[in-house]
Amino acid sequence: MQAAAQAFAEKGFHATTTRDIASGAGLSPAGVYVHFGSKEELLFNLSRSGHESALRLLRRAIGEGATPTEQLETLMARFTEWHVEQYQVARVVQYEHHHLTPEHHAEVLALRKEMDSLVRDVLDRGVADGAFSVDDSADTALALLSIAVDVARWYSPTIKRTPTEIGATNAALALRLVGAGR
Amino acid sequence: MQAAAQAFAEKGFHATTTRDIASGAGLSPAGVYVHFGSKEELLFNLSRSGHESALRLLRRAIGEGATPTEQLETLMARFTEWHVEQYQVARVVQYEHHHLTPEHHAEVLALRKEMDSLVRDVLDRGVADGAFSVDDSADTALALLSIAVDVARWYSPTIKRTPTEIGATNAALALRLVGAGR
DNA sequence: CAGGTAACTAAGCGCTTGCTTAGTTTCTCT
DNA sequence: AGAGAAACTAAGCAAGCGCTTAGTTACCTG
């Protein structure tokens, strides 16, 4: 799975051959099929576990914060850090899921919607208690997720900034975007 | 090129066959090679003309605004609208360029850097004349581009909102992000 | 330490891929 | 009308693809 994550992240699902994955894992081409029934099954396992890991992270971050402001700040920092530290898995999660079979795609889409509504709920609570000022919570949630998700697109391990620094930057941008603390 | 843009945007460069492109253009498989020497050449032509079109759009938007605030607002609205209206080309521009040959990739990367610095310059001028308050103009420019670029990822023609509406939303978010008008 | 199971490989099958070749049709211009 | 160029197609080649099969090695358990 690690070899597949690396290859899918680097070249995309269709540009990756099962021979790439096998040799990346130190196996013969047939060795992959002892553990996975198909290349798509490998993508699905990676995609599902990646989505679940990101979802757990979001829930934990929200659980840690006492106020919507704290929750948003922690959530944005941790979610961004995850996209940096796990940038290979994150790329698979964000950019390869449409290569899944329709059934598998539907399963993963449900997890993605859940992530979206977790963020929107934090915004709505912040608006309700007056901490945030936001025109439309759906649009703003989407923009927040765009900033974090896009990290997986531009990040490269050659970049010097640490995950914590990038996370803190995005957390600060998030607070600005919702008008917290004016 | 239109058939290729549609196929590349829908399935990605490697998942698209030259036969897909040919039949999309109403040609036989060999007919494509009358006009393009290879599949990669087709991607390069699309990618370059797409980047150039986006770059022209940014320059025009900046030229229209009298102040950095106006420039940022127009730029963000137009750039977002472009990602909606030309979402197939935009997807190729944003997500397929790493499948180019090293030489072609380098050429396109130069155009991408140019786009980035156009946005950062607007931010810097806004900070200089006191209209914006921004911690780091590079980080903020990246976040602004993330919000706009990500439109190509989530947009679908089934969505009811018009390009203009989405553009206006993102322009408003951009002004918030740079602390304009407090 | 025998017996069963899981992990693995060498070889390769059937198919699809990007692209070519040889030949035909369509267009353009005088 | 007719020549030359450009646009196109039918057929197919060599290479690479996902995946299978038959057989071998490594491992765990009683």
Side-chain angles (χ1 to χ4, degrees), chain B residues 77-97:
Chain B
R78 299 281 169 77
F79 197 53
T80 297
E81 285 163 24
W82 183 81
H83 277 81
V84 173
E85 282 162 355
Q86 304 289 324
Y87 81 102
Q88 287 178 339
V89 171
R91 266 184 208 175
V92 174
V93 163
Q94 304 298 351
Y95 300 116
E96 306 297 329
H97 64 84

Side-chain angles (χ1 to χ4, degrees), chain A residues 12 26 77 83 91 100 105 120 132 145 147 153:
Chain A
H83 277 81
R91 264 184 210 177
L100 292 165
H105 194 189
R120 199 158 70 240
F132 302 158
L145 286 173
I147 293 175
R153 185 180 59 88

Side-chain angles (χ1 to χ4, degrees), chain B residues 2 21 41 51 53 60 62 70 77 88 135:
Chain B
Q2 205 179 346
I21 299 167
E41 186 182 315
H51 276 90
S53 145
R60 207 181 317 134
I62 292 170
E70 278 180 27
Q88 287 178 339
D135 287 338

